[in-house]
Amino acid sequence: MKTLTIEQLASKFSLQVIVGTEKLQTEIKQPRSHRPGLEFVGHFDFFPTQRVQILGKKEITYLHKLSHEERKMRIGNIVKYHPPCFIVTAGDKGLTYLTQHCIEENIPLLLTKEPVVTTDFIARLDAYMVKELAPEMTVHGVCVNVFGIGLLLRGDSGVGKSETAHTLIGRGHRLVADDIVVLKKLSAQTLLGTHDEKTKEFLALRSIGLLNVVRSYGQKAFQNETRIALEINLTKWEKDALNNDLEQEPSYTDYMGIKIPSMEIQLQPGRDIAGLIEAAANNWFLRQQGYSAAEDFLSRLEPEFSVSNE
């Protein structure tokens, strides 16, 4: 399981460490931050003690208005739970009291280098932590983005996944990962596909070797990550195995509890596999909009059926 430390967080967001440098290797367990409010007035029934605590202008202004003794009590009630760290987004003016509490309890206190909009900072921070701490797995395949839709190409080694991805790049689509695809579960419905850093931007083609797609075709040929919407299995051609049904029965593949729609495309010399993948992506998108070509076609035949039955 991946880990995330306070030091990594400080580095990512260029945070200034006020106190607690010896605790920067503390691991963050929860992928979302918390902005204390009710806790300052004594309600701790649902206080998420393992989350990073954010203090913005609203919280700091409230604390400044309290008397010395009341402020000491309010902050003391929170720091005794030993959250991983505090991040202040409202500047360092008048933070002596908070600094002292963090020193006494050995809790890291960090500061944005300049005052920022707290809600915006929380959104960026939480998005980063969710990705870094998300459950993940690796699969053999290729991940591409076609028409803005994330596709996971699966199939046996040597079947032609990378070559198909290369053709798609030539049509203006983007590579995300080749050979090793890292899948991250961001939520119960969201599966993110990305690379493992080592293979970033590389595409391995048999008979050619490694290509750096950004160097070869420009930045437009690569995308760092994409939400996986559809899995396409590339398989060898089997005579009489395909049919011409108006609409295929839906099937799914389960990745960490997330069911991804899955379909098969058989390979044969002369078949435009890249074109079929584009068609699959477009068809998936239309279905999300509530449109079914099969239903539309059958609706056009209904008047003829009605006449023949009279």
Side-chain angles (χ1 to χ4, degrees), residues 273-287:
I273 303 304
L276 291 174
I277 290 174
E278 290 177 327
N282 278 326
N283 202 40
W284 176 88
F285 177 78
L286 289 173
R287 288 185 181 181

Side-chain angles (χ1 to χ4, degrees), residues 30-93:
Q30 295 293 326
R32 297 190 185 277
S33 58
H34 176 66
R35 193 174 184 178
L38 289 174
E39 293 80 11
F40 281 130
V41 293
H43 293 277
F44 290 91
D45 290 346
F46 302 101
F47 181 36
T49 59
Q50 293 192 8
R51 292 189 183 184
V52 172
Q53 304 297 311
I54 309 296
L55 302 177
K57 184 176 181 180
K58 179 175 66 175
E59 293 77 24
I60 296 299
T61 301
Y62 167 76
L63 291 172
H64 284 346
K65 291 181 178 180
L66 300 176
S67 67
H68 174 75
E69 289 302 319
E70 191 173 9
R71 186 164 56 225
K72 181 178 179 181
M73 179 188 69
R74 299 298 186 196
I75 299 175
N77 286 340
I78 290 180
V79 298
K80 71 181 182 181
Y81 286 96
H82 290 92
C85 67
F86 289 96
I87 299 178
V88 178
T89 64
D92 60 355
K93 186 177 180 181

Side-chain angles (χ1 to χ4, degrees), residues 17-248:
V17 181
I18 305 300
V19 299
T21 53
E22 68 279 6
K23 299 283 287 184
L24 292 182
Q25 294 306 314
T26 299
E27 291 184 5
I28 297 169
K29 304 292 186 181
Q30 295 293 326
R32 297 190 185 277
S33 58
H34 176 66
R35 193 174 184 178
L38 289 174
E39 293 80 11
F40 281 130
V41 293
H43 293 277
F44 290 91
D45 290 346
F46 302 101
F47 181 36
T49 59
Q50 293 192 8
R51 292 189 183 184
V52 172
Q53 304 297 311
I54 309 296
L55 302 177
K57 184 176 181 180
K58 179 175 66 175
E59 293 77 24
I60 296 299
T61 301
Y62 167 76
L63 291 172
H64 284 346
K65 291 181 178 180
L66 300 176
S67 67
H68 174 75
E69 289 302 319
E70 191 173 9
R71 186 164 56 225
K72 181 178 179 181
M73 179 188 69
R74 299 298 186 196
I75 299 175
N77 286 340
I78 290 180
V79 298
K80 71 181 182 181
Y81 286 96
H82 290 92
C85 67
F86 289 96
I87 299 178
V88 178
T89 64
D92 60 355
K93 186 177 180 181
L95 293 183
T96 305
Y97 56 88
L98 182 58
T99 301
Q100 187 59 39
H101 275 283
C102 289
I103 290 174
E104 292 173 359
E105 298 294 336
N106 199 20
I107 300 173
L109 174 62
L110 301 97
L111 185 71
T112 56
K113 288 195 172 181
E114 58 184 30
V116 298
V117 178
T118 306
T119 51
D120 292 346
F121 177 77
I122 289 174
R124 291 188 291 114
L125 178 70
D126 285 358
Y128 172 72
M129 292 194 296
V130 165
K131 285 183 183 179
E132 290 299 307
L133 294 174
E136 66 178 47
M137 63 181 291
T138 60
V139 296
H140 175 69
V142 174
C143 184
V144 290
N145 185 281
V146 174
F147 299 132
I149 298 166
L151 305 180
L152 181 60
L153 307 183
R154 302 296 305 275
D156 293 338
S157 179
V159 78
K161 300 182 295 296
S162 298
E163 289 81 356
T164 300
H166 183 258
T167 303
L168 288 167
I169 291 171
R171 293 185 182 217
H173 307 298
R174 296 181 173 183
L175 174 73
V176 176
D178 180 43
D179 191 33
I180 299 174
V181 181
V182 178
L183 301 177
K184 294 189 175 188
K185 182 180 180 180
L186 300 189
S187 71
Q189 296 83 32
T190 306
L191 189 69
L192 190 75
T194 186
H195 49 80
D196 68 347
E197 291 295 338
K198 299 187 186 79
T199 59
K200 180 180 179 179
E201 301 175 357
F202 286 116
L203 183 66
L205 298 175
R206 292 174 185 269
S207 303
I208 303 298
L210 276 179
L211 287 183
N212 184 307
V213 297
V214 172
R215 295 291 184 93
S216 298
Y217 304 112
Q219 190 60 51
K220 64 181 177 59
F222 176 76
Q223 184 167 317
N224 197 53
E225 59 190 29
T226 188
R227 179 176 177 175
I228 301 296
L230 178 65
E231 176 191 76
I232 298 178
N233 288 288
L234 302 181
T235 60
K236 294 181 179 180
W237 179 269
E238 293 183 17
K239 187 178 180 181
D240 300 326
L242 298 180
N243 50 54
N244 289 315
D245 293 341
L246 293 181
E247 195 164 51
Q248 297 293 315

